[in-house]
Coordinates of all heavy atoms in Angstrom, one line a residue:
R3 N -83.6 190.5 56.1 CA -85.1 190.4 56.2 C -85.6 190.8 57.6 O -84.8 190.8 58.5 CB -85.6 189.1 55.8 CG -85.4 187.9 56.7 CD -86.5 186.8 56.5 NE -87.8 187.4 57.0 CZ -88.9 186.9 56.6 NH1 -89.0 185.9 55.7 NH2 -90.1 187.4 57.1
T4 N -86.9 191.1 57.6 CA -87.5 191.4 58.9 C -88.2 190.1 59.4 O -88.4 189.2 58.7 CB -88.6 192.5 58.7 OG1 -89.6 192.0 57.8 CG2 -88.0 193.8 58.3
M5 N -88.5 190.1 60.7 CA -89.2 189.0 61.3 C -89.8 189.5 62.7 O -89.4 190.5 63.2 CB -88.2 187.8 61.6 CG -87.1 188.1 62.4 SD -86.0 186.6 62.6 CE -84.5 187.4 63.4
R6 N -90.7 188.7 63.2 CA -91.2 188.9 64.5 C -90.6 188.0 65.5 O -90.5 186.8 65.3 CB -92.7 188.7 64.5 CG -93.5 189.7 63.7 CD -95.0 189.5 63.7 NE -95.7 190.5 62.9 CZ -95.9 190.5 61.6 NH1 -95.5 189.4 60.9 NH2 -96.6 191.4 61.0
L7 N -90.1 188.5 66.6 CA -89.6 187.8 67.7 C -90.4 188.0 69.0 O -91.1 189.0 69.0 CB -88.1 188.1 67.9 CG -87.1 187.7 66.8 CD1 -85.8 188.3 67.0 CD2 -87.1 186.2 66.7
P8 N -90.2 187.2 70.0 CA -91.0 187.4 71.3 C -90.9 188.9 71.8 O -91.8 189.4 72.4 CB -90.4 186.4 72.2 CG -89.9 185.3 71.3 CD -89.4 186.0 70.1
G9 N -89.7 189.5 71.7 CA -89.5 190.8 72.2 C -89.9 191.9 71.3 O -89.8 193.1 71.7
G10 N -90.4 191.6 70.1 CA -90.8 192.6 69.2 C -90.2 192.5 67.8 O -89.5 191.5 67.5
P11 N -90.6 193.3 66.9 CA -90.1 193.3 65.5 C -88.6 193.3 65.5 O -88.0 194.0 66.3 CB -90.7 194.5 64.8 CG -91.9 194.8 65.7 CD -91.5 194.5 67.1
A12 N -88.0 192.6 64.5 CA -86.5 192.6 64.4 C -86.1 192.4 63.0 O -87.0 192.2 62.1 CB -86.0 191.4 65.3
A13 N -84.8 192.4 62.7 CA -84.3 192.2 61.4 C -82.9 191.7 61.5 O -82.3 191.8 62.5 CB -84.4 193.5 60.6
F14 N -82.5 191.1 60.4 CA -81.1 190.6 60.3 C -80.5 190.8 58.9 O -81.3 190.9 58.0 CB -81.0 189.1 60.8 CG -81.7 188.2 59.8 CD1 -81.1 187.7 58.7 CD2 -83.0 187.7 60.1 CE1 -81.7 186.8 57.8 CE2 -83.6 186.8 59.3 CZ -83.0 186.3 58.1
E15 N -79.2 190.8 58.8 CA -78.5 190.7 57.6 C -77.4 189.7 57.6 O -76.6 189.7 58.6 CB -77.9 192.1 57.2 CG -77.3 192.1 55.8 CD -76.7 193.4 55.4 OE1 -75.8 193.9 56.1 OE2 -77.2 194.0 54.5
I16 N -77.4 188.8 56.6 CA -76.3 187.8 56.5 C -75.4 188.2 55.4 O -75.9 188.6 54.3 CB -76.9 186.4 56.2 CG1 -78.0 186.1 57.1 CG2 -75.8 185.4 56.2 CD1 -78.9 185.0 56.5
T17 N -74.1 188.1 55.6 CA -73.1 188.3 54.5 C -72.3 187.0 54.4 O -72.0 186.4 55.4 CB -72.2 189.5 54.8 OG1 -71.4 189.3 56.0 CG2 -73.0 190.8 54.9
A18 N -72.0 186.7 53.1 CA -71.1 185.5 52.8 C -70.0 186.0 51.9 O -70.2 186.5 50.8 CB -72.0 184.5 52.1
A19 N -68.8 185.8 52.4 CA -67.6 186.2 51.7 C -66.8 185.0 51.3 O -66.5 184.2 52.2 CB -66.7 187.2 52.4
A20 N -66.4 184.8 50.1 CA -65.6 183.7 49.6 C -64.2 183.8 50.2 O -63.6 184.8 50.1 CB -65.6 183.6 48.1
V21 N -63.7 182.6 50.6 CA -62.3 182.6 51.1 C -61.6 181.5 50.3 O -62.0 180.4 50.2 CB -62.3 182.1 52.6 CG1 -60.9 182.0 53.1 CG2 -63.1 183.1 53.5
G22 N -60.6 182.0 49.6 CA -59.8 181.0 48.7 C -60.4 180.8 47.4 O -60.0 179.9 46.7
A23 N -61.3 181.6 46.9 CA -61.9 181.4 45.6 C -61.1 182.1 44.5 O -60.4 183.1 44.8 CB -63.3 182.1 45.6
T24 N -61.1 181.5 43.4 CA -60.4 182.1 42.2 C -61.4 182.1 41.1 O -61.9 181.1 40.7 CB -59.2 181.3 41.8 OG1 -59.6 179.9 41.5 CG2 -58.1 181.2 42.9
G25 N -61.6 183.3 40.6 CA -62.6 183.5 39.5 C -64.0 183.0 39.9 O -64.5 183.4 40.9
A26 N -64.5 182.1 39.1 CA -65.9 181.6 39.3 C -65.9 180.3 40.1 O -67.0 179.7 40.3 CB -66.6 181.4 38.0
E27 N -64.8 179.9 40.7 CA -64.7 178.7 41.4 C -65.3 178.8 42.8 O -64.6 178.4 43.8 CB -63.3 178.2 41.5 CG -62.7 177.8 40.1 CD -61.3 177.4 40.1 OE1 -60.7 177.4 41.3 OE2 -60.7 177.2 39.1
T28 N -66.5 179.4 42.9 CA -67.0 179.7 44.3 C -67.5 178.4 45.0 O -67.7 178.4 46.2 CB -68.1 180.7 44.2 OG1 -69.0 180.3 43.2 CG2 -67.6 182.1 43.8
N29 N -67.8 177.4 44.3 CA -68.3 176.1 44.9 C -67.1 175.3 45.5 O -67.3 174.3 46.1 CB -69.1 175.3 44.0 CG -70.5 175.8 43.9 OD1 -71.1 176.2 44.9 ND2 -71.1 175.7 42.7
A30 N -65.9 175.7 45.1 CA -64.7 175.0 45.6 C -64.0 175.7 46.7 O -62.9 175.3 47.1 CB -63.7 174.8 44.4
C31 N -64.6 176.8 47.2 CA -64.0 177.6 48.3 C -64.7 177.4 49.6 O -65.8 176.8 49.7 CB -63.9 179.0 47.8 SG -65.6 179.8 47.8
S32 N -64.2 178.1 50.6 CA -64.8 178.2 51.9 C -65.6 179.5 51.9 O -65.3 180.4 51.1 CB -63.8 178.1 53.0 OG -63.2 176.8 53.0
W33 N -66.5 179.6 52.8 CA -67.3 180.8 53.0 C -67.3 181.3 54.4 O -67.4 180.5 55.3 CB -68.7 180.6 52.5 CG -68.9 180.4 51.1 CD1 -68.8 179.2 50.4 CD2 -69.0 181.4 50.1 NE1 -68.9 179.4 49.1 CE2 -69.1 180.7 48.8 CE3 -69.2 182.8 50.1 CZ2 -69.3 181.4 47.6 CZ3 -69.4 183.5 48.9 CH2 -69.4 182.8 47.7
E34 N -67.0 182.6 54.6 CA -67.1 183.2 55.9 C -68.4 183.9 56.0 O -68.7 184.8 55.2 CB -65.9 184.2 56.0 CG -65.9 184.9 57.4 CD -64.8 185.9 57.5 OE1 -65.0 187.1 57.1 OE2 -63.7 185.5 57.9
L35 N -69.2 183.5 56.9 CA -70.6 184.0 57.1 C -70.6 184.9 58.4 O -70.1 184.5 59.4 CB -71.6 182.9 57.3 CG -71.7 181.9 56.1 CD1 -72.8 180.8 56.5 CD2 -72.1 182.6 54.9
R36 N -71.2 186.0 58.2 CA -71.4 186.9 59.4 C -72.9 187.3 59.5 O -73.6 187.5 58.4 CB -70.5 188.1 59.3 CG -69.1 187.8 59.6 CD -68.3 189.1 60.0 NE -68.8 189.6 61.2 CZ -68.4 189.2 62.4 NH1 -67.5 188.2 62.5 NH2 -68.8 189.8 63.5
L37 N -73.4 187.5 60.7 CA -74.8 187.8 60.9 C -74.8 189.1 61.7 O -74.1 189.3 62.7 CB -75.5 186.7 61.7 CG -76.9 187.0 62.3 CD1 -77.9 187.2 61.1 CD2 -77.3 185.9 63.2
S38 N -75.6 190.1 61.2 CA -75.9 191.3 62.0 C -77.4 191.3 62.4 O -78.2 191.1 61.5 CB -75.6 192.5 61.2 OG -74.2 192.6 60.8
L39 N -77.6 191.5 63.7 CA -79.0 191.5 64.2 C -79.4 192.8 64.6 O -78.7 193.6 65.2 CB -79.1 190.5 65.4 CG -78.7 189.0 65.1 CD1 -78.7 188.3 66.5 CD2 -79.8 188.4 64.3
E40 N -80.7 193.1 64.3 CA -81.3 194.4 64.8 C -82.5 194.0 65.7 O -83.5 193.4 65.2 CB -81.8 195.1 63.6 CG -82.3 196.5 63.8 CD -82.5 197.3 62.5 OE1 -83.5 196.8 61.8 OE2 -81.8 198.2 62.2
L41 N -82.3 194.1 67.0 CA -83.3 193.5 67.9 C -84.0 194.6 68.8 O -83.4 195.6 69.2 CB -82.5 192.6 68.9 CG -81.7 191.4 68.2 CD1 -80.9 190.7 69.3 CD2 -82.7 190.5 67.5
A42 N -85.3 194.3 69.0 CA -86.0 195.2 70.0 C -85.6 194.8 71.4 O -85.7 195.7 72.3 CB -87.5 195.0 69.8
S43 N -85.2 193.6 71.6 CA -84.8 193.1 73.0 C -83.6 192.2 72.9 O -83.6 191.3 72.0 CB -86.0 192.3 73.6 OG -85.6 191.7 74.8
S44 N -82.6 192.4 73.7 CA -81.4 191.6 73.7 C -81.8 190.1 74.1 O -81.0 189.2 73.8 CB -80.4 192.2 74.7 OG -80.9 192.2 76.0
D45 N -82.9 189.9 74.8 CA -83.3 188.6 75.1 C -83.6 187.7 73.9 O -83.7 186.5 74.0 CB -84.5 188.6 76.0 CG -84.3 189.2 77.4 OD1 -83.1 189.3 77.8 OD2 -85.2 189.6 78.1
D46 N -83.8 188.3 72.7 CA -84.1 187.6 71.5 C -82.9 187.1 70.7 O -83.1 186.5 69.7 CB -85.0 188.5 70.6 CG -86.4 188.7 71.1 OD1 -86.9 187.8 71.9 OD2 -87.0 189.7 70.8
E47 N -81.7 187.4 71.2 CA -80.5 187.1 70.4 C -80.4 185.6 70.1 O -80.2 185.3 68.9 CB -79.3 187.6 71.1 CG -78.0 187.4 70.3 CD -76.8 187.9 71.0 OE1 -76.9 188.8 71.9 OE2 -75.6 187.5 70.6
A48 N -80.6 184.8 71.1 CA -80.4 183.3 70.9 C -81.4 182.8 69.9 O -81.1 182.0 69.0 CB -80.5 182.6 72.2
E49 N -82.7 183.3 70.0 CA -83.7 182.8 69.1 C -83.5 183.3 67.7 O -83.7 182.5 66.7 CB -85.1 183.4 69.6 CG -86.3 183.1 68.7 CD -86.6 181.7 68.4 OE1 -86.1 180.8 69.2 OE2 -87.3 181.3 67.5
A50 N -83.0 184.5 67.6 CA -82.7 185.0 66.2 C -81.6 184.2 65.6 O -81.7 183.9 64.4 CB -82.3 186.5 66.3

């Protein structure tokens, strides 16, 4: 999604990959989350 930050318009994407899941047992597994940020200013990283 997009958002407004102090340094200007920005966006991010979150991915969630199941770790140790079998079939549909996704609530019984762990999840590896990663965030990609698209920033107008590097000063906005912590806020994002």
